[in-house]
Amino acid sequence: MSPFGFSVWELTAALGVTAVAAWVQGNVGFGFALVSVPVLALVDPQLVASPQLLLMVPLTLAMVWRERADVRWEGLLWVLVGRLPGLILGAWLLTWAPPALLDGLVGGLVLAAATLLARGRTWRRTRVNQMLAGGFSGASSIVSAIGGPPIALLYRDERGPALRATLAAIFAVGIGTTLVARWAAGAVGLRDLAVAGVAAPGLALGLALSRRTRAWIEGQRLRRAVLGLASVAAFGLLLRAWSRLGGMS
């Protein structure tokens, strides 16, 4: 048993799952929390969610630096402009809407968007669309802790480097503000720092491996991966909404 109450098995699981999650995000541009949080929550709920937020700070910054020449700075600006009112809207929704309703709403909207895109629908990235995607991402990150799919779907037709670098820049800002808020609320402690420290080598390994595979996950493969991960996130939220409704009955 470690000084923080985790077994060697639990910390090894954190290390391995983090490596896989970092590899996924290093290739597709998002998916770190989508892969790591549900799995590690089954191992021990105390392994999530602040440790993943702490790990995503170096992960997103490393990804921005790795493909910095391909960041779509103008799009990044408009997404962040839309994100602020989205965060406010999400915080307001939490005060009156049941969690099951919010999970179902976000999951349904993400799934609908992924389905339309899979059927060949295309969206022009105008300033309005970018602000709307930023607002949706901000609101969904507050109410469901999943904010990546709306932005990833917006950029799904970009080349891999542009998609990964732009998403990483957006996430770096969002994660930074979320961590500050959680720290102010006392939700980030030494235990979280310890878990993140143990899992950090896995993060480095997964990101390093993605350097060798990211060129293969390009074009149609990348678009399918974005749609697939977004759909998984949507189905996960719908299942959580269903389970919460069951708990209320």
Side-chain angles (χ1 to χ4, degrees):
M1 216 39 126
S2 75
F4 291 96
F6 297 111
S7 67
V8 173
W9 137 248
E10 289 168 336
L11 294 177
T12 302
L15 182 69
V17 172
T18 296
V20 175
W23 177 80
V24 170
Q25 180 138 340
N27 283 296
V28 184
F30 76 114
F32 180 83
L34 181 62
V35 172
S36 61
V37 171
V39 177
L40 292 178
L42 293 175
V43 176
D44 188 328
Q46 295 184 87
L47 290 171
V48 299
S50 290
Q52 283 69 48
L53 289 170
L54 290 166
L55 287 165
M56 285 187 71
V57 172
L59 175 61
T60 53
L61 292 177
M63 289 180 63
V64 172
W65 178 256
R66 186 177 72 177
E67 296 174 301
R68 58 193 178 280
D70 293 286
V71 177
R72 300 294 186 257
W73 294 107
E74 183 180 1
L76 168 66
L77 172 64
W78 292 112
V79 167
L80 293 177
V81 166
R83 187 176 175 85
L84 179 58
L87 292 171
I88 296 171
L89 173 63
W92 177 73
L93 287 172
L94 280 178
T95 64
W96 68 269
L101 174 62
L102 295 175
D103 280 348
L105 179 62
V106 173
L109 289 173
V110 170
L111 186 59
T115 301
L116 287 172
L117 290 170
R119 292 183 175 181
R121 177 70 182 270
T122 58
W123 292 330
R124 289 183 58 231
R125 279 199 308 276
T126 64
R127 290 179 179 179
V128 172
N129 287 343
Q130 288 167 333
M131 285 191 288
L132 288 174
F136 185 19
S137 174
S140 63
S141 68
I142 292 292
V143 304
S144 68
I146 294 178
I151 306 298
L153 291 174
L154 181 69
Y155 281 90
R156 66 178 286 271
D157 290 324
E158 277 283 6
R159 291 175 53 253
L163 183 145
R164 289 187 293 266
T166 305
L167 263 60
I170 293 168
F171 295 157
V173 175
I175 292 161
T177 56
T178 301
L179 266 177
V180 170
R182 289 181 70 89
W183 174 79
V188 180
L190 288 177
R191 182 193 294 259
D192 302 310
L193 289 169
V195 173
V198 169
L203 184 84
L205 175 62
L207 189 59
L209 290 174
S210 73
R211 291 177 179 270
R212 297 179 175 273
T213 55
R214 58 183 170 156
W216 182 77
I217 303 177
E218 185 59 88
Q220 191 63 25
R221 290 192 184 97
L222 179 62
R223 286 189 284 274
R224 288 174 179 168
V226 169
L227 291 174
L229 282 176
S231 299
V232 168
F235 278 117
L237 288 174
L238 292 173
L239 286 173
R240 191 167 72 180
W242 179 263
S243 67
R244 282 173 164 169
L245 285 173
M248 293 168 60
S249 61

